[in-house]
Amino acid sequence: FYMKNIKNTTFIKLNCYKSLWLAAFAILLIDQLTKILAINFLHFDTEYQLNKYVSFHTIYNESSMMLLYDFVWHFDWSLTQFRIFYVSCCFVLSYIIFWLMNQPSMKEDSWKAELAKTGLMIIFGGLLGNAFDRIFRAEGVIDFFRLNFIQNIVPIVNFADIMIYLGEACVIAAWLVIFYELMMKKLKKY
């Protein structure tokens, strides 16, 4: 009886990870679908105002990963060298994501750990979407969505970028709550 419960729990956890993987690849597919729609139905460098807060403006974004592209061009690298560097950075970020997901604090069955794991896989899905563009589109990453009320803070983005921002918010929120709880436990000891 006891072994059966352990197996069921393990099965549930494996299904959870499977659903997180599926979510990451769903983000990749939705991202690529929205980019295909933007390419086919929106003219480049033309702004389509949806309302006063949101507009569509399709561009090829040559920069990436927080202006990493501009930093790398100081080394006078070719596009192929940059792609190799970019993919290497994606592998390093992916390794960090999966390393974080296997930390002891992420193994516990709490909503905070689940929120952090979900956020990390959302970030991974967004990373895959932009990496796909960077590798397979010579022009760059396709961006098409602009929030006009914060355009000086957030540039023109795509679905993958939005998912990366959402994932970051989930991870930060979970870790802030975990940090707060740890601080409260330490304060109670004194």
Side-chain angles (χ1 to χ4, degrees):
F1 177 73
Y2 181 70
M3 289 300 286
K4 186 177 180 183
N5 285 343
I6 290 174
K7 287 180 183 175
N8 288 342
T9 305
T10 305
F11 179 72
I12 291 169
K13 287 184 180 180
L14 288 176
N15 277 343
C16 174
Y17 280 116
K18 190 186 299 183
S19 64
L20 290 174
W21 275 100
L22 289 173
F25 285 107
I27 290 169
L28 169 66
L29 292 174
I30 293 169
D31 176 61
Q32 291 305 307
L33 177 66
T34 57
K35 289 172 181 173
I36 290 168
L37 291 171
I39 290 171
N40 290 325
F41 295 108
L42 301 174
H43 297 288
F44 280 88
D45 290 329
T46 304
E47 188 156 348
Y48 299 93
Q49 194 76 27
L50 190 60
N51 57 40
K52 68 180 184 178
Y53 302 111
V54 178
S55 63
F56 295 105
H57 187 130
T58 304
I59 62 167
Y60 283 113
N61 184 355
E62 294 176 353
S63 65
S64 61
M65 293 174 71
M66 301 296 178
L67 303 176
L68 176 65
Y69 185 79
D70 297 331
F71 169 74
V72 169
W73 277 115
H74 291 291
F75 296 111
D76 197 29
W77 285 357
S78 68
L79 184 60
T80 304
Q81 289 170 319
F82 173 71
R83 284 181 176 169
I84 291 168
F85 181 74
Y86 185 85
V87 170
S88 300
C89 287
C90 289
F91 277 120
V92 169
L93 288 173
S94 299
Y95 176 80
I96 291 169
I97 287 170
F98 291 112
W99 178 79
L100 288 170
M101 287 186 67
N102 287 311
Q103 293 304 301
S105 62
M106 299 292 261
K107 302 266 187 210
E108 61 186 55
D109 287 330
S110 70
W111 67 269
K112 300 169 290 262
E114 294 302 317
L115 180 63
K117 284 189 268 191
T118 303
L120 288 169
M121 286 310 278
I122 291 171
I123 292 169
F124 182 66
L127 178 72
L128 287 176
N130 284 339
F132 185 90
D133 277 8
R134 183 61 60 201
I135 295 167
F136 297 110
R137 295 187 206 277
E139 302 87 359
V141 176
I142 298 168
D143 289 338
F144 59 90
F145 187 76
R146 174 184 279 173
L147 297 173
N148 295 325
F149 60 94
I150 56 173
Q151 70 185 21
N152 294 333
I153 300 168
V154 178
I156 301 172
V157 295
N158 57 43
F159 184 77
D161 296 331
I162 294 169
M163 291 296 103
I164 290 170
Y165 292 137
L166 178 65
E168 290 170 353
C170 291
V171 170
I172 290 169
W175 286 345
L176 282 174
V177 171
I178 291 168
F179 179 73
Y180 175 78
E181 288 176 353
L182 288 173
M183 298 282 48
M184 288 294 115
K185 284 181 185 177
K186 286 187 178 187
L187 288 174
K188 286 182 180 180
K189 288 181 181 179
Y190 297 112

